[in-house]
Amino acid sequence: MSETAEKDQSLWLLTASPTFWAAHFLLCYITAAIWCAKVVGLGGSLASARVAIAVYTVLALAGIGIVGRVGYRRHSHGNATLPHDDDTPEDRHRFLGFATLLLSALSAVAVIYAGLVIFFFRSCY
Amino acid sequence: MSIDPGPLTAAPPEEVQRAQTERLLEAWKQPTGWRYWSAVNNSVVGLWYVAMTFFFLLFGGVLALLMRLQLARPNNDFLSADLYNQAFTVHGSVMMFLFAIPIFEAIAVMFLPQMLGARELPFPRLSAFGFWCFLLGGIFLCGSIFFDAAPRGGWFMYPPLTSKYQSGIGADIWLLGFSFIEIAAIAAAVEIIIGALKTRPPGMRINLIPLYIWYVLVAAAMILFAFPPLIAGSLLLEVERAFHWPFFDPAGGGDPLLWQHLFWLFGHPEVYIIFLPSVALMAMIVPTFAQRPIVGYGWIVLAAVGIGFLSFGLWVHHMFTTGLPGISLGLFSAASEAVAIPTGVQIFCFIATLAAGRTVRSVPMLYAFGSLVIFVLGGLTGVMVAVAPFNFQAHDTFFVVAHLHYVLIGGALFPILAGCYYFFPLINGKKLSDKLGKIAFWLAFTGFNVAFLPMHLTGLRGMPRRVFTYQAGLGFDALNLVSTVGAFILAAGLAIVFWDMVRPKKKQSYSERNPWNAGTLEWTQEMPGKPWGMRSIPEIDSRYPLWEQPNFLRDVDEGRFYLADAEEGKRESILTSVIDARPEQCLRLPGPTFITLWAALTMGGFFIFGTFSLWWPSLLSLLASLAIIIYWLWTETALIPEKAEKDVGLGLKLPLYLSGPESAGWWAMFITMLAVLTAFISLVFGYFFFWTVRADFPPDPVPGPGHFWPLVAALLLLGAWAQTVLARRWNRNDHASAFYTGLLLGSILAIAGGAALLAGPWVTELDPTSHVYPATVWILVTWTTFQILIGVIMQLYCIARRVAGRMTARYDIDIRNVALYWHFTAFTAVVTVAVIAGFPLVA
C-alpha cells in the first residue's frame, strides 16, 4: 500500500521521458551547430558529430526505457485494468504509471526520429 | 469504490439553509452601478475578457475582408501598399495576441472554478489586473491603424525591416504593446496553473480531473517557457530601435537571425498554446453528446503533455530557408513529423468516443465535426511543409497562408464556436438559437473552404504572401476572386454567431439546469448562476460526478458538502493537495477593487509613453505602478487571520494561513520566476548565438568587463542571498533583531553587488552602441541589476511588514516568498558573471 501513498507520487515523473527527449534534441542541435560553425565549417564532414549524436541517442533511449519501465510497473500494480478511473490511491497510482508509460513511448519515437538524421547527413550541408 | 467522506446524511433544516445562502450571497455580492467595474470575480472578469476578445476578432476580421477586397482582382488600388502592409500586420497580430491566446485565458478564467467546484481561482485580482493590461494594450495597438501609425512589418516583425527601414512608431507600438499584453498572459498562466493544481475540489484525484484541466495546465505551463523568449527578443529589438545597440545589425556585428530564433521559440509553441485549450473544449463536448465517458483518457493526457514538449522542438521549421546546416533542418523536420503523432491520437480518441456512444445531434457537435474536418486537412498540409524540400518551394507563398488558416480556424476558431454554443447557458442562463447556429455553421464552414482551399493552389502557382497586388494573367485571378467571395461568406456566418450572442434575450426563458445532460461539474450551476459559483464545495469520487455520483445535485444544493456557509462574511474556497486533492487550507479571497485598474493604467503608461520615447513620463508611470502594487500587496495579501483554523463542514478543520511550498503564493512566485528565468536564459542564448555565428565574438583581445568587478559582484550578491535565507530562518525562530540586521545587511550587499556588476562594463568603457559584444554584456548586466533592484525592494518590504506587525514568526508568507525570489536572483547573478567574465577565458 505504501508505494501508492500521495507523498511518494509526483507529477514530475510524467515529464521525465519528454525531458530526456528535450535534452537529447537540444544536445544534438547544439553539437551540430557548434561543429558546423566552429569546428569544420559549413562544407565540412560531420564525422565525430554523428558519433556524438549516436551516443546521445543511445543514452536518451536508455533513460526513457528506465522511466517507461517504472511507468509500466505502476500501471500494472495489483490486478486492475484500464481506464484507471476509480477514486482510490491505487487507481491514481496506476493512472500516473500508464501516462508515464505512454509518454515514454512517444518520447522514444521522437528520439529515434531525431537520431535518424545521422543516417541521412554526412556533411553539414 | 471511494474511501473519502460522503455528504451529510441529512440536510440542514430549511431555516439554516436559508440563512447560509443569505450570508453566502452577501459575501459574494457583485458591485453595482459604476462600481461594477471594480469586480474581480472570475465569472465577471471572464465575461469582459471573452467579450473583448470577440471584439478584437471582429476587428481583425474586418481587416481581413479589406485585404480580400484588395486582392479580389489584379492591379487593384482599393488599399495602398502601405495601408495593406498595416492591415496584414495588424490582422495577424490581433488574431494571435488579442484573440487566440486571450480567449483561452478568458474561457479558462471564466469556467475553471465551475469545472473545479471552487468558489474562485486563487488570485482573482491578478486576473482582473491581467484583463485591464490586455484591454489597454489591445486598444493601443488597434487604435494605431486609424492614425496611419500601425506596425507594418508583418506579425513576426523581422529585422532589419523593422529596425532599419521603418522609422515610424509602428514597430515600437508592437514591441511595447505586446510586451505589456504578454505580462497579462503570464499572469493568467500563474492563475491557471495554481488553479488547476491547488483549487480542485476535495477528492478530485489527478486521475479524475476533467480533460479540459489537463489541457489548460499544459498550455499555461507552455506560456511560461514560450512567452519569455519573445519578451527578451522584443527588449533587444526595442533597445536597438531606441538606443542603437546593434543586436540585429550586421554592420555592428549583430545578426537578424537571432530575432527569428527568439521569435519562433515563442511562435511555434504559441500555435499549440492556442490549439490545446481549444481542443480541450472538444474533450468536454464530445463525451456529453456521446453520452458516455471519453475513450482513452490516459491517451489524451499523453497527447496534451506530449504536444506540450514536442512543440518546443519545431521552431526552426519556420526558418528552413535561412541557410542553417542541413543536419539542423533534419532535426527540426523530425520533431515536426513526430508532433503529428500525439495530435492524431486525441482525434482518434474523440472519434472512438463518438463511435462507442449514442451520439446526440446538436449544434455544438456540428461545429466540433467541422473543426475535425478542417483541422485534419490543415494537419496534413502541416506534415507536407514539415518536409524541408517541399518547404523550400512553399515558403512565403499563399500555400502557407492556407495551411496556417486551416490549422488555426479548424483547430481553434471552430472548437471555440462549438464551446460558445455549448457553454453559453452557463453565462446568462439561456441557450443560443439552434436555428441560427446551424445557418451560421454552414455559412462559416462553406465560406471558410471556399476562401482557403483555393489558396493552396494560388500558393503552389507561386503567389507570394504579403503582396498588396499582382499582375493579371499569372494564374492567380480567378483563384483570388473565389477566395474573396469565400471570405465574405465566412464573415456572414460569423456575423450570425455574434448576433446570436448579443441579441436581446429578455423574452427567452431560462434554460433548464444541465441542458445537455453533461456529466462534469460545471453543469451543477443553477440557471441563471449565482455569484458564489457552488452552493457547497463537493467531494468528488468520479470523472463524471453528475452521471455517476447519486443525488449529487441535491447534496450540493442543500449544502451537504464543504463550506456551505460564510459565517464570517468572507469569500472563501478550499485549497487541496496536487495529487489526491486532500483539503489543506481554507483560502480567504479578496473582494472588488479598483486598484487592479490603477496598477494596469500606470503600468500601461510606462509602455505607452515609452513608445513615444517620452522617457520621464514613462519612468514616472513605472514608479507610480510600483507604488500602487506595493500598496495592493501591503493591504490585501498575506493577511493574518483572526483565528488559526476554521471548520469547513463534514467534521473537517482547515488552517486559514499557510506559508512556504504549501501556500498558493509561494507557487505563484515560483512559477513567475520560472518565466523570468526563461527570459534571462533567452538573453544568454543570444550571447552564445553570437559566439557561434561570429569569429570576433568575444573580440580578441577582450575589451571588458574584466574579472575583478564581476567577481566582486558575485561575492556580494551571494552574500545578499545568504543573508535573505538566514533572515527567513531568524524570523521563523523569532529572533527579531537578527532578522532586521540580517535583512538590512542583505539589502546593502545587494545594492553594492548591483553597483559592482555595473562597474565591470563601466570602468572598461564598453560602449554598447559600438558593437554587439559590449551591447550583449550590457544587456545581461542591466537585466540582472534590475532583478536585484526588485529584490532589494522586497527585502525592505519584509522589514517593514515585520515592524508593522503584518508578518510574524508564524505568519511568514512574505519572507518565504522573498527568499524564493532571491534563490532565482542569486542564480541569475552567478550565471551572468560566469558568462560575461568567465566565458571569454574559455572562448
Side-chain angles (χ1 to χ4, degrees):
Chain A
M1 271 300 273
S2 67
E3 70 178 286
T4 65
E6 184 178 12
K7 66 179 171 54
D8 298 326
Q9 308 284 318
S10 164
L11 287 184
W12 297 112
L13 184 66
L14 288 183
T15 63
S17 287
T19 304
F20 276 115
W21 165 81
H24 171 264
F25 187 79
L26 267 182
L27 270 177
C28 292
Y29 171 59
I30 292 169
T31 304
I34 294 179
W35 182 264
C36 293
K38 290 280 179 191
V39 184
V40 295
L42 284 176
S45 157
L46 280 172
S48 311
R50 290 172 70 210
V51 176
I53 291 177
V55 172
Y56 300 155
T57 305
V58 171
L59 290 177
L61 287 175
I64 290 170
I66 293 168
V67 177
R69 194 176 142 71
V70 172
Y72 179 73
R73 278 180 31 206
R74 293 188 175 188
H75 159 57
S76 22
H77 175 84
N79 51 13
T81 54
L82 286 167
H84 302 329
D85 61 351
D86 272 354
D87 179 26
T88 57
E90 289 75 25
D91 240 18
R92 177 259 296 142
H93 186 68
R94 290 180 202 109
F95 163 75
L96 284 177
F98 183 60
T100 304
L101 175 65
L102 292 180
L103 279 162
S104 300
L106 175 67
S107 305
V109 171
V111 164
I112 291 169
Y113 273 25
L116 283 177
V117 290
I118 60 172
F119 293 104
F120 297 112
F121 290 89
R122 288 170 197 280
S123 65
C124 288
Y125 270 94
Chain B
M1 188 195 72
S2 172
I3 54 169
D4 298 321
L8 291 175
T9 45
E14 267 189 31
E15 61 275 18
V16 173
Q17 285 188 41
R18 205 173 308 119
Q20 287 177 338
T21 52
E22 276 168 18
R23 282 191 290 268
L24 275 173
L25 276 179
E26 182 59 28
W28 291 90
K29 194 169 66 178
Q30 296 300 339
T32 52
W34 63 277
R35 288 195 167 273
Y36 169 73
W37 300 103
S38 69
V40 295
N41 194 290
N42 70 290
S43 53
V44 179
V45 174
L47 188 60
W48 300 343
Y49 229 139
V50 170
M52 276 318 294
T53 55
F54 274 111
F55 170 78
F56 288 127
L57 172 69
L58 269 178
F59 187 81
V62 169
L63 290 175
L65 291 180
L66 295 179
M67 286 190 285
R68 281 318 316 170
L69 278 177
Q70 166 63 17
L71 294 178
R73 62 188 181 89
N75 295 314
N76 201 359
D77 59 358
F78 175 69
L79 295 181
S80 67
D82 185 57
L83 193 54
Y84 187 85
N85 290 348
Q86 295 184 48
F88 71 65
T89 304
V90 176
H91 165 75
S93 307
V94 163
M95 290 306 197
M96 290 293 196
F97 291 95
L98 301 180
F99 172 67
I101 297 174
I103 198 162
F104 137 55
E105 296 155 5
I107 294 175
V109 164
M110 187 151 68
F111 293 134
L112 265 191
Q114 271 100 326
M115 289 182 187
L116 293 171
R119 291 257 155 77
E120 179 62 285
L121 292 175
F123 308 105
R125 290 185 171 187
L126 189 65
S127 299
F129 172 69
F131 167 75
W132 293 117
C133 288
F134 157 75
L135 179 69
L136 275 177
I139 289 175
F140 184 50
L141 185 103
C142 291
S144 64
I145 200 167
F146 297 109
F147 299 92
D148 196 29
R152 56 202 79 195
W155 87 278
F156 35 76
M157 296 296 283
Y158 282 171
L161 179 64
T162 51
S163 55
K164 290 188 91 168
Y165 300 99
Q166 294 183 343
S167 52
I169 59 164
D172 305 306
I173 289 176
W174 193 98
L175 293 166
L176 292 171
F178 282 137
S179 293
F180 186 42
I181 287 172
E182 283 146 22
I183 293 175
I186 291 174
V190 169
E191 178 84 315
I192 290 167
I193 292 173
I194 300 178
L197 293 178
K198 298 292 290 179
T199 59
R200 303 205 306 270
M204 187 187 270
R205 297 173 198 276
I206 201 81
N207 59 327
L208 302 181
I209 65 179
L211 284 169
Y212 183 84
I213 310 293
W214 273 109
Y215 276 110
V216 293
L217 179 62
V218 171
M222 288 171 71
I223 284 183
L224 297 183
F225 298 103
F227 276 57
L230 182 61
I231 293 178
S234 300
L235 173 70
L236 297 182
L237 187 47
E238 187 52 37
V239 168
E240 171 161 334
R241 285 179 57 86
F243 308 116
H244 312 294
W245 296 19
F247 294 109
F248 307 112
D249 180 7
D255 191 330
L257 268 196
L258 174 62
W259 169 265
Q260 296 198 22
H261 278 291
L262 292 176
F263 184 87
W264 290 115
L265 251 170
F266 147 80
H268 203 88
E270 187 236 11
V271 174
Y272 289 91
I273 292 171
I274 291 168
F275 168 66
L276 289 179
S278 306
V279 83
L281 296 171
M282 306 254 288
M284 302 302 278
I285 294 170
V286 164
T288 295
F289 293 106
Q291 287 290 296
R292 58 151 293 138
I294 193 97
V295 174
Y297 179 97
W299 290 85
I300 290 187
V301 173
L302 152 89
V305 180
I307 289 173
F309 273 87
L310 292 181
S311 64
F312 280 86
L314 314 181
W315 85 87
V316 166
H317 78 208
H318 297 268
M319 300 166 61
F320 276 172
T321 57
T322 57
L324 292 170
I327 188 165
S328 303
L329 305 193
L331 283 167
F332 284 90
S333 190
S336 306
E337 301 294 356
V339 81
I341 299 171
T343 310
V345 161
Q346 59 201 345
I347 290 174
F348 283 112
C349 289
F350 296 153
I351 294 172
T353 307
L354 291 170
R358 291 169 288 107
T359 305
V360 180
R361 289 162 68 105
S362 69
V363 175
M365 274 315 293
L366 203 53
Y367 284 91
F369 280 125
S371 156
L372 286 179
V373 171
I374 295 172
F375 180 74
V376 167
L377 283 171
L380 291 175
T381 53
V383 172
M384 290 165 75
V385 287
V387 177
F390 180 82
N391 187 295
F392 298 158
Q393 298 301 316
H395 184 80
D396 250 348
T397 69
F398 262 80
F399 188 88
V400 177
V401 179
H403 158 68
L404 77 93
H405 283 90
Y406 264 84
V407 171
L408 289 173
I409 293 186
L413 185 62
F414 271 77
I416 288 169
L417 294 179
C420 285
Y421 276 87
Y422 181 66
F423 285 120
F424 203 81
L426 292 182
I427 296 174
N428 73 347
K430 294 173 182 178
K431 274 184 169 179
L432 293 176
S433 154
D434 276 359
K435 191 174 162 195
L436 290 176
K438 280 180 195 160
I439 297 170
F441 169 78
W442 286 111
L443 282 173
F445 184 77
T446 314
F448 170 80
N449 285 296
V450 171
F452 289 96
L453 197 64
M455 279 187 202
H456 294 100
L457 202 52
T458 325
L460 289 177
R461 285 184 175 182
M463 180 158 163
R465 300 167 75 172
R466 301 177 169 175
V467 288
F468 83 107
T469 191
Y470 51 91
Q471 297 296 315
L474 294 173
F476 307 152
D477 311 15
L479 291 170
N480 270 303
L481 186 61
V482 171
S483 287
T484 301
V485 171
F488 277 85
I489 301 173
L490 168 61
L494 294 180
I496 293 174
V497 176
F498 291 135
W499 166 247
D500 199 6
M501 285 196 270
V502 298
R503 71 185 161 81
K505 299 183 184 67
K506 277 197 172 158
K507 288 183 187 163
Q508 186 178 332
S509 55
Y510 285 111
S511 155
E512 73 270 36
R513 204 170 178 186
N514 191 8
W516 314 109
N517 189 23
T520 41
L521 213 45
E522 68 275 20
W523 293 102
T524 48
Q525 184 184 300
E526 293 163 63
M527 299 289 165
K530 296 278 197 313
W532 59 45
M534 284 267 167
R535 170 69 182 83
S536 59
I537 296 178
E539 175 75 42
I540 297 300
D541 304 329
S542 133
R543 285 180 186 163
Y544 298 92
L546 281 169
W547 286 344
E548 293 167 358
Q549 287 184 230
N551 302 319
F552 186 75
L553 269 185
R554 183 204 69 186
D555 294 345
V556 169
D557 285 353
E558 293 180 354
R560 298 192 191 205
F561 287 112
Y562 300 103
L563 277 184
D565 200 350
E567 296 96 336
E568 300 91 357
K570 299 204 185 283
R571 297 183 172 197
E572 291 165 330
S573 198
I574 294 181
L575 282 192
T576 53
S577 62
V578 172
I579 301 285
D580 277 345
R582 214 170 5 83
E584 288 181 332
Q585 184 190 353
C586 174
L587 183 71
R588 294 260 168 91
L589 295 153
T593 178
F594 278 112
I595 203 161
T596 52
L597 175 58
W598 288 114
L601 277 174
T602 45
M603 191 169 281
F606 167 67
F607 286 103
I608 292 168
F609 288 126
T611 306
F612 298 100
S613 301
L614 299 168
W615 302 118
W616 280 112
S618 173
L619 191 65
L620 284 177
S621 267
L622 184 65
L623 290 176
S625 172
L626 186 68
I628 290 171
I629 289 172
I630 289 177
Y631 176 77
W632 168 3
L633 295 173
W634 184 272
T635 51
E636 285 294 342
T637 60
L639 299 178
I640 298 177
E642 75 286 357
K643 57 186 173 185
E645 285 190 328
K646 174 173 167 122
D647 186 345
V648 294
L650 299 182
L652 183 66
K653 281 192 172 173
L654 291 178
L656 285 163
Y657 189 107
L658 288 176
S659 64
E662 290 176 312
S663 71
W666 190 92
W667 281 99
M669 176 64 86
F670 180 77
I671 293 167
T672 310
M673 292 315 291
L674 271 185
V676 173
L677 184 64
T678 310
F680 170 72
I681 288 172
S682 306
L683 297 178
V684 174
F685 169 81
Y687 186 101
F688 289 99
F689 172 81
F690 288 126
W691 171 68
T692 53
V693 298
R694 292 199 66 95
D696 60 349
F697 191 104
D700 189 21
V702 181
H707 303 111
F708 176 73
W709 286 113
L711 283 175
V712 169
L715 288 174
L716 289 170
L717 292 168
L718 285 174
W721 163 72
Q723 286 297 320
T724 313
V725 174
L726 285 171
R728 181 191 65 189
R729 183 176 301 170
W730 287 325
N731 179 66
R732 183 75 357 164
N733 296 337
D734 219 1
H735 294 158
S737 56
F739 167 80
Y740 291 128
T741 325
L743 210 49
L744 201 59
L745 181 62
S747 58
I748 293 166
L749 286 173
I751 292 168
L757 201 57
L758 291 171
W762 181 264
V763 298
T764 51
E765 295 181 351
L766 288 183
D767 174 8
T769 59
S770 65
H771 187 265
V772 73
Y773 175 73
T776 311
V777 170
W778 269 111
I779 205 83
L780 286 172
V781 164
T782 314
W783 177 279
T784 310
T785 311
F786 188 71
Q787 204 173 318
I788 293 164
L789 200 63
I790 305 274
V792 171
I793 295 171
M794 289 184 178
Q795 289 168 325
L796 299 176
Y797 176 83
C798 285
I799 293 176
R801 291 284 281 184
R802 181 148 181 149
V803 170
R806 287 174 178 261
M807 185 176 85
T808 65
R810 177 157 184 271
Y811 296 110
D812 62 347
I813 285 179
D814 303 297
I815 183 66
R816 296 193 69 162
N817 291 357
V818 168
L820 177 63
Y821 177 90
W822 268 95
H823 292 330
F824 280 89
T825 304
F827 179 74
T828 302
V830 168
V831 171
T832 300
V833 169
V835 170
I836 63 169
F839 189 72
L841 291 177
V842 185

